[in-house]
């Protein structure tokens, strides 16, 4: 397919294809290299299997460029092109990794859209979405972006029902394109809040006009989002609405884009309201906005207009609209919440979960200003009855229970954040919500949460004529859970559910000693029946508060030490004892350990036994512990175990209690102590961690050496550095991965040998090296640091050709010169010279590559560019203001790089 001149001009301006004069690649050459449908299908499958692996491979860098090019190919079907555009929507960050690439991609996509013929096409909507996604994901959206200034008027014109192409868009596609344009504008407004504030009047006029209008749902959501963002940002700036609700700006020319307002909104506003508890904190700053009477009237009219058309929206869209408007008007002066009352009358009986959630969010936002006590009681009854429906799916059941547990009351009692049942929720209504072992685990836990809140209010009193109290029901349920968890060979899920329920009860009823006593007793019986649950008990002790943790620890310690030391559950007893052992009842603990030592024959049991000894050491237990450690140091079969026992015995005999605790439990907050052993152990945790610090290392690139393609790195340090490891990562895929460089020791002020970093270029193009350093300081700490990136210049890739005999140099150069064509290219350029002239330029920069010379009239220069490119230069006699240069290369892609390089040489010589 031959790209029309206008399209190629746009691509050349965007930098996606090289300009024809500089690259010698005319339009006819653009048809070369187009990929077939089968090739694209294989590439897409490979990419989706592992995007990171594909992008790191040789084809990764070309993927975005090939995609943009083949979107204009007539050989590919529209279905395949849609697949390519879908890929750009799913992986924009991989295809356009930086802002210039995203800008160029969006420009190319808009050019492709403009070149579509005036017939129905499946590409227009994906092209709009892809251009919007490229600008947003690549961070290119802004007032200086040419693609942004082209895309915004196009989207606004389509959203307003206008055909910006003077009939080029078929009438059958205008409504779908209008929907897509609204979605794209909503995405842009979400990323740059306040950008479309000048379009409020236009969008209101379109939504309220008589006769055929655009799609109501996308227009309503777009208008609501723009209105919410404008109100919040204007309130932060303490500015008025300035007639934004009524102005009918034209989308032509500069357009109604408010880049200044969008840049002042430093943080992206969330597109939905905050959670219910957070709704009580602050008013989003809207109380600072003081609209005039006329602006308040227009604002009420705009909100009423959106609410009146909300019944035409889908349930999800209605819920989002109510979220946006509720947050926008909460705390705004002159805007009564009664505007939402007609919608509440319609929605209080809804069966849609999204709409019910939105209604509860409005209740959290406005409270009794919008909901009466009767409304609150009705909502509670609806939630309670709906949660008891037997055919309800588990997710919906959990939703209703969550709404009950987090119900936003009009007048809550108690401190903020306290978990209590709603005041109007009668216990009789919750009889059908009591948990049962037959329920799904998640539903059981949610019902148990509600039951715990009821028990907190029950105060262990029987309700007359109403059967069993909630507290007694809770005790029976926990007993059943413990009984199921104690079954030998039972599913692990039963034990997990049991401990989740125990933690929930301890958390909700921490202030009721009677419940905690029964809970502690039941858990102790569970451990007695099933010691293999010791890991679950350790986790519970880590998470439970002191109300349950301390008594449970004492009871579990008594359970363990009362067991014989040689049974099959010994490893679980030792694991539990390492968690709960302390200075209390240490004689019984030591007796248990003395009996268990004879049965610890393998390495795992010996280490578990030593962990208990370590816990006793930290608790300050002496006396009999020294005898036990001495016995273990002699009798344990494993040498590692004997060494640990001997170390603990030495520590016990030489350190006092506080120092022993610090030595065995290093803490960065502990004060420095006099003991060298303690001081060493005090920094032990720090020494084991890799710390990220500012780098005391400076790297620079030295002159290239003749023996091969390698960067010569000079290293300077500001402090002594040991075991230095430099890791290099090449940006893009221009070079093969580089190995790490190791240096044993570097000291400031002492010259170091240069480091050679071999390069294996995949293309002769400049790049940058991202450098990370891992090293050890003189204090013994291992540090990690980022170093400034090092540029690999085009000249760093130059290699000389092997020198032929003196008499054959000119013939060898001519043979190289002729071999570049016809596959390569030839060009001529004018190179300015500085005061040092041609001889100074060649001697300073190009002398290693001179193949044949007749100074000062001509120089023949041959440069090898790995992996398989060559660059040949003929420098003629210098003239007054420069020198003519003829060049040939077998790789046309290096032409712009050669031009930049030669111009930089003339500047350097001039300096």
């Amino acid at each position: 397919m031959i790209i029309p001149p206008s399209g190629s001009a746009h691509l050349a301006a965007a930098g996606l294809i090289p300009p024809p004069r500089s690259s010698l690649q005319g339009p006819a050459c653009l048809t070369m290299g187009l990929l077939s449908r089968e090739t694209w299908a294989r590439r897409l499958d490979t990419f989706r299997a592992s995007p990171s692996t594909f992008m790191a491979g040789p084809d990764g860098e070309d993927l975005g460029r090939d995609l943009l090019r083949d979107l204009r190919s007539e050989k590919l079907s529209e279905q395949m092109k849609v697949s390519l555009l879908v890929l750009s929507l799913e992986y924009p960050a991989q295809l356009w990794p930086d802002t210039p690439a995203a800008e160029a991609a969006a420009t190319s996509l808009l050019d492709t859209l403009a070149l579509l013929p005036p017939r129905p096409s499946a590409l227009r909507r994906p092209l709009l979405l892809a251009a919007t996604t490229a600008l947003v994901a690549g961070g290119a959206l802004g007032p200086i972006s040419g693609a942004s200034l082209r895309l915004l008027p196009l989207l606004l014109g389509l959203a307003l029902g206008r055909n910006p192409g003077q009939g080029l868009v078929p009438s059958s596609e205008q409504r779908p394109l209008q929907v897509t344009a609204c979605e794209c504008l909503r995405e842009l407004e979400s990323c740059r809040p306040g950008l479309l504030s000048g379009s409020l009047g236009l969008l209101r006029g379109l939504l309220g006009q008589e006769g055929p209008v655009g799609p109501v749902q996308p227009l309503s959501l777009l208008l609501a989002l723009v209105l919410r963002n404008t109100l919040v940002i204007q309130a932060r700036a303490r500015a008025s609405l300035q007639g934004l609700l009524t102005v009918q700006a034209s989308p032509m020319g500069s357009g109604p884009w408010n880049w200044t307002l969008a840049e002042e909104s430093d943080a992206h506003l969330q597109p939905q309201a905050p959670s219910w508890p957070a709704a009580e904190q602050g008013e989003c700053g809207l109380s600072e906005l003081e609209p005039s009477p006329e602006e308040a009237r227009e604002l009420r009219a705009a909100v009423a207009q959106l609410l009146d058309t909300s019944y035409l929206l889908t349930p999800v869209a209605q819920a989002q609209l109510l979220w946006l408007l509720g947050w926008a008007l909460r705390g705004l002066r002159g805007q009564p919440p009664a505007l939402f009352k007609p919608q509440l009358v319609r929605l209080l009986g809804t069966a849609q979960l999204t709409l019910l959630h939105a209604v509860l969010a409005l209740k959290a936002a406005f409270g009794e200003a919008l909901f009466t006590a009767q409304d609150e009681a009705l909502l509670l009854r609806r939630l309670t009855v709906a949660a008891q429906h037997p055919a309800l799916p588990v997710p919906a059941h959990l939703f209703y229970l969550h709404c009950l547990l987090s119900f936003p009351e009009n007048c809550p009692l108690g401190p903020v954040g306290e978990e209590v049942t709603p005041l109007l929720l009668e216990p009789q209504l919750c009889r059908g919500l009591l948990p049962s072992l037959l329920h799904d685990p998640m539903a059981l836990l949610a019902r148990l949460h509600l039951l715990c809140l009821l028990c907190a209010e029950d105060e262990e009193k029987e309700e007359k004529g109403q059967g069993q109290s909630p507290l007694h029901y809770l005790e029976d349920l926990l007993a059943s859970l413990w009984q199921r968890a104690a079954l030998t060979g039972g599913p692990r899920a039963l034990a997990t559910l049991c401990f989740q329920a125990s933690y929930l009860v301890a958390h909700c009823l921490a202030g009721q000693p009677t419940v905690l006593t029964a809970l502690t007793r039941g858990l102790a019986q569970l451990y007695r029946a099933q010691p293999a649950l010791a890991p679950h008990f350790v986790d519970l002790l880590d998470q439970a508060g002191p109300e349950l943790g301390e008594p449970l620890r004492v009871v579990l310690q008594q359970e363990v030490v009362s067991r014989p030391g040689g049974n099959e559950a010994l490893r679980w007893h030792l694991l539990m004892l390492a968690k709960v052992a302390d200075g209390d009842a240490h004689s019984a603990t030591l007796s248990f350990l003395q009996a268990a030592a004879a049965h610890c024959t393998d390495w795992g049991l010996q280490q578990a036994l030593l962990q208990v000894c370590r816990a006793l050491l930290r608790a300050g237990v002496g006396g009999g512990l020294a005898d036990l450690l001495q016995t273990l140091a002699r009798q344990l079969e494993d040498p590692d175990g004997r060494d640990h026992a001997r170390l603990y015995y030495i520590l016990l005999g030489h350190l006092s209690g506080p120092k022993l605790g610090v030595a065995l439990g290093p803490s960065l907050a502990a004060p420095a102590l006099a003991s060298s052993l303690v001081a060493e152990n005090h920094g032990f945790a720090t020494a084991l961690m890799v710390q990220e610090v500012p780098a005391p290392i400076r790297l620079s690139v030295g002159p290239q050496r003749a023996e091969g393609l390698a960067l010569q790195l000079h290293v300077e340090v500001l402090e002594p550095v040991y075991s230095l490891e430099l890791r290099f990562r090449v940006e893009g895929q221009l070079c093969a991965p580089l190995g790490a460089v190791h240096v044993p020791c570097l000291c400031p002020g002492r010259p170091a040998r240069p480091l050679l970093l071999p390069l294996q270029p995949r293309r002769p193009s400049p790049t940058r090296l991202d450098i990370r350093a891992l090293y050890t300081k003189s204090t013994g700490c291992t540090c990690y640091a980022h170093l400034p990136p090092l540029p690999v210049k085009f000249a760093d890739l130059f290699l000389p050709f092997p020198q032929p005999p003196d008499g054959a140099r000119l013939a060898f150069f001519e043979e190289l010169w002729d071999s570049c064509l016809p596959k390569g290219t030839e060009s001529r350029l004018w190179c300015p010279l500085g005061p040092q002239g041609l001889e100074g330029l060649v001697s300073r920069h190009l002398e290693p590559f001179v193949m044949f010379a007749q100074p000062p009239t001509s120089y023949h220069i041959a440069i090898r560019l790995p992996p398989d490119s060559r660059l040949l230069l003929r420098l003629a006699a210098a003239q007054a203001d420069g020198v003519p240069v003829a060049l040939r290369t077998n790789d046309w892609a290096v032409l712009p790089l050669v031009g930049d390089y030669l111009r930089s040489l003339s500047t350097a010589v001039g300096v």
Side-chain angles (χ1 to χ4, degrees), residues 437 448 472-484 498 501-502 505 515 518-519:
L437 298 181
L448 177 62
H472 290 166
Y473 189 91
L474 174 64
E475 293 175 354
D476 293 343
L477 176 67
L478 289 176
S480 301
L481 288 172
W482 294 330
Q483 185 177 3
R484 290 204 309 175
C498 172
S502 301
V505 172
V515 177
L519 183 61

Side-chain angles (χ1 to χ4, degrees), residues 62-63 87 120 388 405 418 452 496 519 531 539 568-569 641 760 852:
D62 296 334
L63 181 62
L87 186 75
Q388 300 178 32
L405 293 170
E418 182 182 10
C452 290
T496 303
L519 183 61
D539 292 340
E568 63 278 1
Q760 298 179 3
F852 179 78

Side-chain angles (χ1 to χ4, degrees), residues 315-316 318 347 349-358 382 399-400:
V316 175
Q318 288 187 60
L347 297 177
T350 182
Q352 297 289 337
L353 299 186
T354 54
L355 292 177
L356 181 59
H357 196 220
R382 279 213 59 227
F399 168 77
Y400 284 119

